[in-house]
């Protein structure tokens, strides 16, 4: 059967957005007290891991990946008219991608600085703060964004699959 590379990438992206929604649901349950965990360290670790996983899964469709030609290498919001008419979510999308690129997947200095603050008894003392990966990204808005992208990917994949099945491109 004839394959549409964009539809293949869109279909893969649906799974990515569903993964984001899963992680964000765990975070929501954690934040709302619906997960009963007593140790603060574990709560903070789950929160951070879930948020990082959400950023990674959300960004995956928009970053180049090898598909051996069976799918587009990445999705482009503008080309596909994703997030049409919602500049607030478009800005959030860009903030998530930027955070993935500069703080999660890589350690850009403005997110991961380190400075020598002193030397005592032959030992160096450094200040190396960890970034707050969720800073500037509201959980509710992130959930809304992933749901919208998922729905739009479903719609576009269906349209392209139907055209492909009818032999039109």
């Amino acid at each position: 059967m004839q394959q549409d590379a964009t539809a293949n990438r869109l279909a893969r992206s649906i799974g990515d957005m569903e993964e984001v929604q899963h992680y964000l649901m765990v975070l929501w349950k954690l934040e709302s007290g619906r997960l009963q965990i007593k140790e603060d360290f574990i709560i903070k670790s789950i929160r951070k891991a879930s948020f990082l996983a959400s950023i990674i899964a959300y960004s995956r469709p928009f970053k180049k990946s090898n598909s051996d030609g069976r799918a587009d290498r990445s999705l482009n919001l503008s080309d596909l008219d994703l997030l049409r008419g919602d500049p607030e979510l478009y800005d959030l999308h860009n903030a998530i991608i930027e955070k993935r690129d500069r703080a999660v997947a890589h350690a850009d200095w403005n997110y991961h600085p380190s400075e020598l603050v002193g030397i005592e008894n032959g030992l160096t003392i450094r200040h190396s703060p960890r970034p707050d990966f969720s800073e500037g990204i509201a959980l509710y808005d992130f959930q809304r964004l992933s749901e919208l992208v998922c729905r739009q990917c479903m719609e576009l994949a269906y349209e392209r699959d139907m055209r492909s099945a009818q032999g039109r491109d």
Side-chain angles (χ1 to χ4, degrees), residues 93-164:
H93 163 85
N94 287 333
I96 292 168
I97 298 298
E98 188 250 343
K99 193 152 301 207
R100 178 261 177 213
D101 290 349
R102 300 181 68 207
V104 176
H106 305 282
D108 282 14
W109 194 256
N110 59 330
Y111 284 98
H112 297 272
S114 182
E115 69 175 306
L116 180 64
V117 293
I119 299 176
E120 289 183 20
N121 300 323
L123 300 174
T124 59
I125 303 167
R126 301 196 69 81
H127 177 67
S128 304
R130 293 302 207 177
D132 176 359
F133 296 104
S134 63
E135 183 179 347
I137 301 175
L139 186 59
Y140 173 79
D141 292 334
F142 196 176
Q143 181 75 25
R144 200 165 55 97
L145 173 63
S146 68
E147 288 170 354
L148 178 60
V149 170
C150 187
R151 186 174 66 251
Q152 290 179 341
C153 285
M154 285 179 185
E155 292 167 0
L156 288 169
Y158 175 79
E159 291 170 11
R160 295 182 77 95
D161 281 342
M162 293 306 287
R163 279 199 307 262
S164 187

Side-chain angles (χ1 to χ4, degrees), residues 23 44-54:
Y23 295 132
K44 287 180 181 176
S45 296
I46 293 170
R47 180 180 293 124
K48 180 179 178 183
S50 295
F51 210 85
L52 288 172
S54 297

Side-chain angles (χ1 to χ4, degrees), residues 9 55-56 58-66 72-76 97-98 100-101 105-106:
R9 176 57 58 201
I55 290 172
I56 292 165
Y58 178 83
S59 300
R60 195 178 297 135
F62 305 103
K63 306 311 282 181
K64 289 185 177 158
S65 61
N66 186 0
D72 287 352
R73 293 194 66 201
S74 65
L75 294 182
N76 183 303
I97 298 298
E98 188 250 343
R100 178 261 177 213
D101 290 349
H106 305 282

